[in-house]
């Protein structure tokens, strides 16, 4: 999608600190981290929200979770623990309408929102 910020990051049009990339997903550091580790994982394909995932696109979730495991290991938070979150639509706290997974860690997460 032309004007989508996460599409632009995925295409490499905006310099971001990419953490991991496969042919289907890209992961990069959140611009406003709320924890010492705060990485976003997005599909390269523009999918607006979790609810827009069609049956035939569900595989992308597995790829995103797999990336979350790799990132957690690489960042050294796998053992201590971390959180994986997908915000959905306004009441779910979604601000960017390109499907993304947050990986938070590196501190004790106490509240429900990370
Ligand atoms: P949401 O609230 O939609 O689940 O999360 C959107 C996240 O994207 C927020 O944590 C926000 O800090 C992050 N974000 C927004 N714009 C940018 C950007 O241009 N670059 C990066 N790296 N992160 C962004
Ligand atoms: Zn997009």
């Amino acid at each position: 999608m032309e004007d989508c910020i996460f599409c632009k990051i995925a295409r490499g049009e905006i310099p971001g600190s990419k953490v991991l990339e496969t042919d289907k997903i890209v992961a990069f550091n959140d611009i406003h981290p709320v924890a010492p580790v705060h990485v976003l994982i997005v599909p390269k394909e523009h999918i607006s929200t979790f609810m827009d995932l069609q049956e035939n696109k569900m595989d992308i979730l597995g790829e995103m979770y797999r990336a979350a495991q790799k990132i957690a290991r690489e960042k050294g938070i796998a053992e201590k623990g971390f959180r994986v979150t997908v915000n959905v639509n306004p009441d779910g706290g979604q601000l960017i309408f390109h499907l993304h997974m947050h990986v938070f860690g590196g501190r004790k997460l106490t509240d429900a929102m990370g």
Side-chain angles (χ1 to χ4, degrees), residues 1 4-7 46-47 97-98:
M1 219 194 192
C4 170
I5 190 94
F6 287 177
C7 281
H46 182 87
I47 298 165
F97 284 82
H98 177 129

PDB file of all heavy atoms in Angstrom, residues 1 4-7 46-47 97-98, ligand 2:
ATOM      1  N   MET A   1       0.859  -1.206   0.000  1.00  0.00           N
ATOM      2  CA  MET A   1       0.000   0.000   0.000  1.00  0.00           C
ATOM      3  C   MET A   1       0.890   1.251   0.000  1.00  0.00           C
ATOM      4  O   MET A   1       1.814   1.345   0.807  1.00  0.00           O
ATOM      5  CB  MET A   1      -0.894  -0.021   1.246  1.00  0.00           C
ATOM      6  CG  MET A   1      -2.288   0.457   0.984  1.00  0.00           C
ATOM      7  SD  MET A   1      -3.080   0.783   2.571  1.00  0.00           S
ATOM      8  CE  MET A   1      -4.749   0.962   2.025  1.00  0.00           C
ATOM      9  N   CYS A   4       1.302   3.533   3.352  1.00  0.00           N
ATOM     10  CA  CYS A   4       1.374   2.844   4.650  1.00  0.00           C
ATOM     11  C   CYS A   4       2.814   2.843   5.169  1.00  0.00           C
ATOM     12  O   CYS A   4       3.734   2.408   4.474  1.00  0.00           O
ATOM     13  CB  CYS A   4       0.844   1.422   4.493  1.00  0.00           C
ATOM     14  SG  CYS A   4       1.156   0.398   5.929  1.00  0.00           S
ATOM     15  N   ILE A   5       2.970   3.333   6.384  1.00  0.00           N
ATOM     16  CA  ILE A   5       4.320   3.467   6.965  1.00  0.00           C
ATOM     17  C   ILE A   5       5.028   2.114   7.101  1.00  0.00           C
ATOM     18  O   ILE A   5       6.227   2.014   6.835  1.00  0.00           O
ATOM     19  CB  ILE A   5       4.244   4.206   8.327  1.00  0.00           C
ATOM     20  CG1 ILE A   5       5.621   4.589   8.840  1.00  0.00           C
ATOM     21  CG2 ILE A   5       3.505   3.425   9.380  1.00  0.00           C
ATOM     22  CD1 ILE A   5       6.032   5.961   8.479  1.00  0.00           C
ATOM     23  N   PHE A   6       4.296   1.082   7.481  1.00  0.00           N
ATOM     24  CA  PHE A   6       4.936  -0.230   7.652  1.00  0.00           C
ATOM     25  C   PHE A   6       5.248  -0.875   6.298  1.00  0.00           C
ATOM     26  O   PHE A   6       6.237  -1.604   6.180  1.00  0.00           O
ATOM     27  CB  PHE A   6       4.105  -1.151   8.540  1.00  0.00           C
ATOM     28  CG  PHE A   6       4.139  -0.784  10.013  1.00  0.00           C
ATOM     29  CD1 PHE A   6       3.380  -1.482  10.940  1.00  0.00           C
ATOM     30  CD2 PHE A   6       4.935   0.257  10.474  1.00  0.00           C
ATOM     31  CE1 PHE A   6       3.417  -1.148  12.290  1.00  0.00           C
ATOM     32  CE2 PHE A   6       4.979   0.607  11.820  1.00  0.00           C
ATOM     33  CZ  PHE A   6       4.215  -0.104  12.730  1.00  0.00           C
ATOM     34  N   CYS A   7       4.435  -0.601   5.283  1.00  0.00           N
ATOM     35  CA  CYS A   7       4.792  -1.057   3.929  1.00  0.00           C
ATOM     36  C   CYS A   7       6.095  -0.391   3.493  1.00  0.00           C
ATOM     37  O   CYS A   7       6.967  -1.035   2.904  1.00  0.00           O
ATOM     38  CB  CYS A   7       3.690  -0.732   2.934  1.00  0.00           C
ATOM     39  SG  CYS A   7       2.279  -1.856   2.961  1.00  0.00           S
ATOM     40  N   HIS A  46       0.589  -6.119   2.598  1.00  0.00           N
ATOM     41  CA  HIS A  46      -0.275  -5.243   3.393  1.00  0.00           C
ATOM     42  C   HIS A  46      -1.576  -5.954   3.765  1.00  0.00           C
ATOM     43  O   HIS A  46      -2.405  -6.249   2.907  1.00  0.00           O
ATOM     44  CB  HIS A  46      -0.599  -3.944   2.649  1.00  0.00           C
ATOM     45  CG  HIS A  46      -1.442  -3.016   3.477  1.00  0.00           C
ATOM     46  ND1 HIS A  46      -0.889  -2.107   4.359  1.00  0.00           N
ATOM     47  CD2 HIS A  46      -2.781  -2.912   3.611  1.00  0.00           C
ATOM     48  CE1 HIS A  46      -1.870  -1.479   4.983  1.00  0.00           C
ATOM     49  NE2 HIS A  46      -3.024  -1.949   4.546  1.00  0.00           N
ATOM     50  N   ILE A  47      -1.731  -6.217   5.057  1.00  0.00           N
ATOM     51  CA  ILE A  47      -2.977  -6.752   5.620  1.00  0.00           C
ATOM     52  C   ILE A  47      -3.320  -5.781   6.744  1.00  0.00           C
ATOM     53  O   ILE A  47      -2.480  -5.539   7.619  1.00  0.00           O
ATOM     54  CB  ILE A  47      -2.758  -8.189   6.158  1.00  0.00           C
ATOM     55  CG1 ILE A  47      -2.346  -9.135   5.020  1.00  0.00           C
ATOM     56  CG2 ILE A  47      -3.998  -8.701   6.883  1.00  0.00           C
ATOM     57  CD1 ILE A  47      -1.757 -10.458   5.471  1.00  0.00           C
ATOM     58  N   PHE A  97      -2.556   0.690  10.851  1.00  0.00           N
ATOM     59  CA  PHE A  97      -3.421  -0.321  10.247  1.00  0.00           C
ATOM     60  C   PHE A  97      -2.697  -1.127   9.168  1.00  0.00           C
ATOM     61  O   PHE A  97      -3.078  -1.126   8.001  1.00  0.00           O
ATOM     62  CB  PHE A  97      -4.745   0.312   9.801  1.00  0.00           C
ATOM     63  CG  PHE A  97      -5.618   0.556  11.007  1.00  0.00           C
ATOM     64  CD1 PHE A  97      -5.434   1.686  11.797  1.00  0.00           C
ATOM     65  CD2 PHE A  97      -6.548  -0.388  11.417  1.00  0.00           C
ATOM     66  CE1 PHE A  97      -6.180   1.879  12.950  1.00  0.00           C
ATOM     67  CE2 PHE A  97      -7.299  -0.209  12.562  1.00  0.00           C
ATOM     68  CZ  PHE A  97      -7.108   0.929  13.327  1.00  0.00           C
ATOM     69  N   HIS A  98      -1.640  -1.755   9.626  1.00  0.00           N
ATOM     70  CA  HIS A  98      -0.915  -2.799   8.888  1.00  0.00           C
ATOM     71  C   HIS A  98      -0.592  -3.819   9.969  1.00  0.00           C
ATOM     72  O   HIS A  98       0.103  -3.483  10.950  1.00  0.00           O
ATOM     73  CB  HIS A  98       0.351  -2.211   8.242  1.00  0.00           C
ATOM     74  CG  HIS A  98       1.214  -3.203   7.508  1.00  0.00           C
ATOM     75  ND1 HIS A  98       1.639  -2.995   6.210  1.00  0.00           N
ATOM     76  CD2 HIS A  98       1.737  -4.379   7.894  1.00  0.00           C
ATOM     77  CE1 HIS A  98       2.395  -4.028   5.827  1.00  0.00           C
ATOM     78  NE2 HIS A  98       2.465  -4.880   6.844  1.00  0.00           N
TER      79      HIS A  98
HETATM   80 ZN1  LIG B   2       1.020  -1.625   4.854  1.00  0.00          ZN
END
